[in-house]
Amino acid sequence: MTDFRAYRSVLYLPAANARAVEKARTLAADAVILDLEDAVAADAKAGARAAAAEAVTAGGWGSRTLAIRVNGIGTQWCEADFQAVAAARPDAVVVPKVNSAAEAAEAVRLAGGVPVWAMIETPRGVQAVDAIADTPGVAALVVGAADLEKDLGCRVGPARGEIQYTLQRVVIAARAAGIRAFDAMYPDIKDMEGLETVTLQGRALGFDGKTLIHPAQIETANRVFSPSAAEVEQARRIVAAFEAAKAEGKGVATLDGKLVEVLHAAQARDLIAFAESIAAQ
């Protein structure tokens, strides 16, 4: 991937909550998902759909990525939700409980050219994650841990060992397909220590960012998924060392006693570019 746009913090908001939607335009979240699914009661779906479309067309989101989460394929609200998405043209459409490549392809068709973020939150979805990621038009995978935990009948602890297989499968599938991967939300909005733990874990696993359910969680996600000043400085040293060696006709360099090869220089350049994109927001 050569797109260095930041997706460190991906905030879910109920589309029917006008006050929350307006406030989101001022928050430091990299991306906002206007939710028509879990956060909206059945009798409020139509109003939320209209509000989400209006929020997209009204603009004012700056550099933030703006997405709409529709109700799932096969639900009674699905068709109208996708029609609203295709007309409003948000940056992405988030599709819950994608279970197969066929469902992913149907979502892409219904989205009418809007990039699809497929949620992996069922056992079937985990089994089919490679094919889902490879579906043309799917631009990201999103882990939905709550529904997966329910379907598996497991109890996820602080270390998330019970769903490590899923987390790693999602990252591997996304990287193989050259698309984004977003970690699951953390449900306890008061437990900042727990949030820190799972966010650090998500970055270590290779996710691009974390889905969130409360503005108070944004700072943690942005900080953890941002390169530190020390990391950026080290990356600049790696690039400088490699370029110096290259100028001398060498294929590798040595820095602080460690070998620096072309892949290390490429990784360093990507980190620098990502840091610069964050600074430019």
Side-chain angles (χ1 to χ4, degrees):
M1 291 180 293
T2 56
D3 175 14
F4 296 107
R5 178 185 298 188
Y7 295 93
R8 302 162 298 173
S9 49
V10 183
L11 179 65
Y12 287 108
L13 289 176
N17 188 332
R19 185 174 179 181
V21 171
E22 185 59 32
K23 182 181 179 182
R25 289 183 168 91
T26 69
L27 298 175
D30 290 331
V32 172
I33 299 173
L34 303 176
D35 191 14
L36 305 181
E37 196 213 15
D38 286 346
V40 180
D43 59 358
K45 298 283 189 185
R49 183 186 306 122
E54 183 180 354
V56 173
T57 56
W61 296 95
S63 63
R64 298 169 191 83
T65 295
L66 185 61
I68 294 176
R69 178 163 73 167
V70 297
N71 290 278
I73 301 290
T75 65
Q76 66 189 84
W77 308 284
C78 169
E79 185 174 347
D81 286 352
F82 272 105
Q83 288 175 350
V85 165
R89 316 301 294 179
D91 297 309
V93 54
V94 182
V95 184
K97 300 177 181 67
V98 178
N99 291 315
S100 65
E103 287 189 3
E106 176 65 1
V108 170
R109 184 188 71 80
L110 291 169
V114 175
V116 169
W117 292 3
M119 294 197 69
I120 307 301
E121 50 185 341
T122 66
R124 289 286 186 192
V126 175
Q127 289 182 319
V129 67
D130 298 321
I132 292 169
D134 285 336
T135 302
V138 172
L141 301 177
V142 184
V143 178
D147 282 287
L148 181 64
E149 180 179 354
K150 175 180 67 67
D151 286 354
L152 292 176
C154 68
R155 296 181 180 180
V156 178
R160 300 198 296 180
E162 300 80 6
I163 59 168
Q164 280 294 301
Y165 174 78
T166 293
L167 299 175
Q168 292 173 327
R169 279 291 307 275
V170 167
V171 172
I172 291 169
R175 293 295 168 260
I179 63 177
R180 300 287 180 182
F182 303 121
D183 198 0
M185 62 84 182
Y186 188 69
D188 190 341
I189 62 175
K190 294 183 178 180
D191 180 12
M192 302 309 289
E193 183 177 348
L195 174 65
E196 181 92 11
T197 297
V198 296
T199 305
L200 286 166
Q201 182 192 64
R203 186 188 180 189
L205 287 171
F207 283 100
D208 293 289
K210 188 163 187 66
T211 52
L212 313 170
I213 57 170
H214 194 277
Q217 298 176 324
I218 294 172
E219 186 278 332
T220 297
N222 283 351
R223 172 171 44 80
V224 170
F225 280 97
S226 294
S228 68
E231 288 173 325
V232 175
E233 177 58 28
Q234 181 66 3
R236 295 190 189 282
R237 294 182 67 227
I238 289 171
V239 171
F242 185 79
E243 290 300 320
K246 185 177 177 182
E248 296 175 2
K250 300 176 182 178
V252 297
T254 303
L255 179 65
D256 301 330
K258 296 180 180 179
L259 200 66
V260 176
E261 299 179 301
V262 62
L263 70 92
H264 302 119
Q267 290 174 326
R269 289 190 183 97
D270 285 351
L271 187 146
I272 293 166
F274 181 49
E276 290 175 346
S277 75
I278 292 172
Q281 290 183 174

